[in-house]
Amino acid sequence: MDENPYDILGVSRDASADEVKKAYRKKARENHPDLNPNDPNAEERMNKINEAYERITNPEKFAASDARKRGYGAPYSPGYNGYSNPNSQGSSHTGSAGGSGYYDPFGYGGAGGGQGGTGAGGGPGAGQNPYGWTTINFDDFFGNGWGQATGPIHPEASASDSPDMRQAILNINAGNYAAAIDILQKIPSTGRNGRWYYIFALANNGAGNTVAAHDNIRRARQFEPNNPDYMRAENQFNRRAQTYTQTGEGRGFTSFGIDPNWLCCCICLGPSLCSYMTRFCYGF
Amino acid sequence: MFGIAVARLDKISDKEKARYQALYCGLCKSLKSRYGQVSRLALSYDLVFLAMLYNSLYEPKEETGSFKCISHPTKQTPFALSQYSDYAADLSVALAYHKCLDDVADDNSTKAKAARLALEGSYGKALERIPEECDAIRQSMDRIRLIESDTHSSPDAAANEFGSLLGELFAHYDDIWTKTLHDFGEYLGRFIYLMDAAVDLEQDIKTGSYNPFAKLDLSPDQMRAILTNIIGEATIHFERLPLVQDANLMRSVLYSGVWLKFNQTYNNDEKSENKQS
């Protein structure tokens, strides 16, 4: 993509997330090929608009390919497909690739439906950085913890680690979390110290086992409350919670509190009776 | 597992409350027209959320109006429905039926058996309309039952399985948004399963029923921290979708409403928020 995605959508660089979304929807409606049957360029414009929206809202998707075009090389990626979805290894939902067809975000039907152009095969040469969207600060959109990719933790083996522990660490760094969990679970309970719980927490976190990850890092910290690695891991495990809370509060919502509208039988009796009682509770 | 994805009514406008109710009545109307009166047993706000999500993403033409329903026979009740209400209705029946099967397997109560019997005919129709989804639900519930009966299962196993199911159900339409919807549904599903477990923990310990939190000795604050991280993952994907219509209503669900049962169970009023921070 040679153009600035903000220019394509017609929004300023400091546009809010809602403004970007509204602009995207407006552009998509104006340029949808089904609504412009006599315009041979509608499809190409639609692809650009889709990519512009993706670049603004999902920059890490393009970070690797943009870096390669600039000649910086792809960043280290031990099996994550983007830090926001660390368990996407093996995911089958990749969409279709290809340079033809257009996205149909509104379900109007039509031909194609394959992925729009990703800019591959064209664009700037090495060393150029005309776009800058990989340096865009998305804190305004999604709160702290989103725009700064912290990346997965790569534990290092220590001199006191057993061979099994070292093998588990190798597996974690290679993204083979299930294998790491398997190895660690075979270590007898007498051999489980703070370090074991820490490594086990990392393996579970990588495997998407959030409960186990949190429980085990908590246990690791019980063994060594001031261990900086354990604290760092715990902080990283909690980063989504921080973003969530900030985003919710920014929108005027809290995860605390009791809604008096629901205090009646609705919660207690379940949906079947609720369907009859709700309007009583609402006062509608 | 129903009744978690509900709106925070005291934080939205009267117009939004009316809209929410109209969508609820729209889903109810769709259930009645597709499956008959008794299928309204399957009605839940959780599936209203799904219909609302698709409506917002695709902005289809909506059928609106008002009608007299069995709950309010004397006055006209506004409704809003679309093609996505129909999919939500189909899923409502399928999920409710399998929940009944689960309840029968768990406690074999008369109530559970009666509900199963009541929904059997409707489920037959759902099988014709959404056969892949019904099959996915059946297989997933079977796997969850196995996990729940395995004393050595990981505390995340059942939640992750339910998350996989919901991810699949959310990714019903094959388009640019399939992956984001799938990922959102997956994390939301994990959250819903674990929220249900957190709310039922005390009861499950008393009855000896499976609960992933039972062996972990976590405080409510620690469970809250875990749940917040999972719903946090879900909302990252949610916020990627270009949703304008009903966005505030959906956010009232995701950032607040989903916590109502937890707060009710653990007495987390808004004063507790100050103690947390």
Side-chain angles (χ1 to χ4, degrees):
Chain A
M1 177 176 274
D2 294 334
E3 298 164 68
N4 187 307
Y6 291 91
D7 291 341
I8 291 171
L9 295 187
V11 294
S12 64
R13 279 212 165 217
D14 57 1
S16 68
D18 279 351
E19 284 166 349
V20 171
K21 287 178 186 179
K22 282 181 183 166
Y24 167 73
R25 294 195 73 93
K26 183 168 181 279
K27 286 282 179 188
R29 274 195 209 90
E30 286 167 0
N31 293 279
H32 200 283
D34 285 355
L35 303 174
N36 297 278
N38 300 321
D39 185 350
N41 298 320
E43 183 178 325
E44 188 188 334
R45 287 201 306 275
M46 196 66 230
N47 286 337
K48 271 192 189 169
I49 288 162
N50 286 330
E51 187 183 334
Y53 180 75
E54 279 278 292
R55 281 186 173 276
I56 293 172
T57 59
N58 194 359
E60 76 272 12
K61 181 177 170 181
F62 298 92
S65 59
D66 288 346
R68 279 193 292 276
K69 283 179 210 164
R70 292 197 304 271
Y72 298 158
Y76 178 76
S77 179
Y80 285 161
N81 289 332
Y83 62 87
S84 63
N85 186 9
N87 310 310
S88 57
Q89 191 177 14
S91 169
S92 59
H93 293 275
T94 56
S96 335
S100 63
Y102 58 87
Y103 282 128
D104 189 356
F106 301 110
Y108 291 150
Q115 181 129 2
T118 58
Q128 295 179 27
N129 184 13
Y131 316 124
W133 46 69
T134 53
T135 62
I136 288 171
N137 186 345
F138 286 91
D139 285 350
D140 285 343
F141 281 10
F142 300 111
N144 294 332
W146 170 262
Q148 299 115 34
T150 54
I153 294 174
H154 304 296
E156 291 178 5
S158 80
S160 56
D161 284 335
S162 65
D164 281 341
M165 199 68 131
R166 286 169 185 273
Q167 188 57 45
I169 289 168
L170 277 174
N171 276 303
I172 288 171
N173 289 330
N176 300 328
Y177 304 109
I181 288 170
D182 204 41
I183 291 168
L184 290 163
Q185 282 181 322
K186 287 179 179 147
I187 294 174
S189 55
T190 48
R192 295 179 186 182
N193 51 13
R195 180 144 173 91
W196 183 91
Y197 284 107
Y198 165 66
I199 300 295
F200 196 50
L202 293 182
N204 274 288
N205 187 56
N209 296 332
T210 309
V211 178
H214 280 257
D215 185 51
N216 283 287
I217 200 62
R218 177 180 67 94
R219 290 169 196 262
R221 290 208 60 207
Q222 281 171 347
F223 273 92
E224 297 171 58
N226 298 318
N227 186 304
D229 287 340
Y230 304 176
M231 288 164 68
R232 183 175 151 238
E234 191 174 50
N235 285 340
Q236 194 186 48
F237 291 176
N238 284 318
R239 75 181 191 281
R240 285 292 181 238
Q242 291 160 15
T243 306
Y244 170 81
T245 303
Q246 284 164 5
T247 305
E249 286 174 356
R251 297 281 186 181
F253 297 111
T254 172
S255 64
F256 288 85
I258 294 165
D259 185 344
N261 292 285
W262 290 104
L263 267 183
C264 69
C265 47
C266 295
I267 292 177
C268 311
L269 296 177
S272 53
L273 276 172
C274 188
S275 68
Y276 295 94
M277 299 299 288
T278 302
R279 274 178 237 105
F280 171 81
C281 302
Y282 271 101
F284 272 79
Chain B
M1 259 168 248
F2 295 110
I4 303 244
V6 298
R8 184 69 194 256
L9 300 173
D10 61 339
K11 303 285 184 191
I12 57 178
S13 66
D14 287 343
K15 191 176 169 191
E16 285 170 324
K17 281 184 210 169
R19 168 70 175 164
Y20 192 48
Q21 194 58 41
L23 288 167
Y24 181 84
C25 294
L27 178 55
C28 184
K29 202 167 186 295
S30 179
L31 269 168
K32 183 174 168 246
S33 74
R34 288 169 84 76
Y35 295 100
Q37 198 71 264
V38 77
S39 70
R40 293 172 74 225
L41 283 172
L43 181 59
S44 74
Y45 280 99
D46 307 78
L47 273 300
V48 171
F49 179 84
L50 180 63
M52 194 163 41
L53 177 69
Y54 281 137
N55 284 342
S56 184
L57 188 57
Y58 299 114
E59 293 189 1
K61 201 169 161 64
E62 283 185 5
E63 182 191 339
T64 58
S66 59
F67 71 118
K68 283 185 188 174
C69 77
I70 198 167
S71 306
H72 278 75
T74 60
K75 70 174 191 177
Q76 297 281 335
T77 308
F79 69 88
L81 62 88
S82 71
Q83 66 192 93
Y84 302 112
S85 311
D86 291 344
Y87 176 58
D90 296 340
L91 279 187
S92 297
V93 166
L95 287 166
Y97 179 74
H98 280 280
K99 178 78 175 62
C100 289
L101 293 185
D102 213 40
D103 291 342
V104 169
D106 280 347
D107 55 30
N108 207 29
S109 67
T110 309
K111 180 183 156 198
K113 284 195 258 191
R116 182 193 63 185
L117 198 61
L119 286 173
E120 230 156 45
S122 300
Y123 182 67
K125 289 182 196 169
L127 260 178
E128 287 171 16
R129 289 183 172 129
I130 48 167
E132 289 177 11
E133 285 78 2
C134 287
D135 195 47
I137 294 169
R138 179 186 59 78
Q139 289 191 39
S140 193
M141 291 302 179
D142 285 346
R143 283 192 286 265
I144 290 174
R145 258 192 289 280
L146 277 174
I147 290 167
E148 292 178 348
S149 62
D150 178 1
T151 52
H152 299 294
S153 61
S154 146
D156 295 275
N160 288 355
E161 177 58 46
F162 189 72
S164 290
L165 171 64
L166 222 64
E168 202 175 324
L169 299 180
F170 272 45
H172 179 66
Y173 303 101
D174 187 19
D175 57 23
I176 180 179
W177 306 117
T178 304
K179 185 169 186 332
T180 308
L181 284 167
H182 173 272
D183 294 343
F184 170 52
E186 183 164 13
Y187 282 107
L188 186 63
R190 292 185 192 181
F191 175 85
I192 287 174
Y193 184 93
L194 289 170
M195 173 58 81
D196 205 52
V199 166
D200 290 344
L201 180 58
E202 193 180 321
Q203 180 66 18
D204 288 342
I205 289 173
K206 271 187 203 157
T207 59
S209 302
Y210 173 81
N211 191 300
F213 291 120
K215 290 182 193 171
L216 300 182
D217 192 30
L218 296 171
S219 68
D221 286 347
Q222 286 165 336
M223 286 193 288
R224 174 182 278 276
I226 290 169
L227 289 165
T228 308
N229 278 291
I230 298 174
I231 191 73
E233 291 284 356
T235 51
I236 289 286
H237 296 289
F238 171 81
E239 294 294 352
R240 284 204 175 124
L241 298 167
L243 306 173
V244 176
Q245 176 183 291
D246 299 326
N248 193 58
L249 198 40
M250 287 187 280
R251 288 194 180 104
S252 81
V253 173
L254 295 173
Y255 291 102
S256 198
V258 294
W259 292 99
L260 290 177
K261 280 190 175 180
F262 186 91
N263 294 341
Q264 180 78 356
T265 304
Y266 295 105
N267 294 317
N268 280 160
D269 59 18
E270 296 198 20
K271 289 177 198 164
S272 309
E273 184 177 9
N274 296 329
K275 287 182 201 164
Q276 287 276 325
S277 52

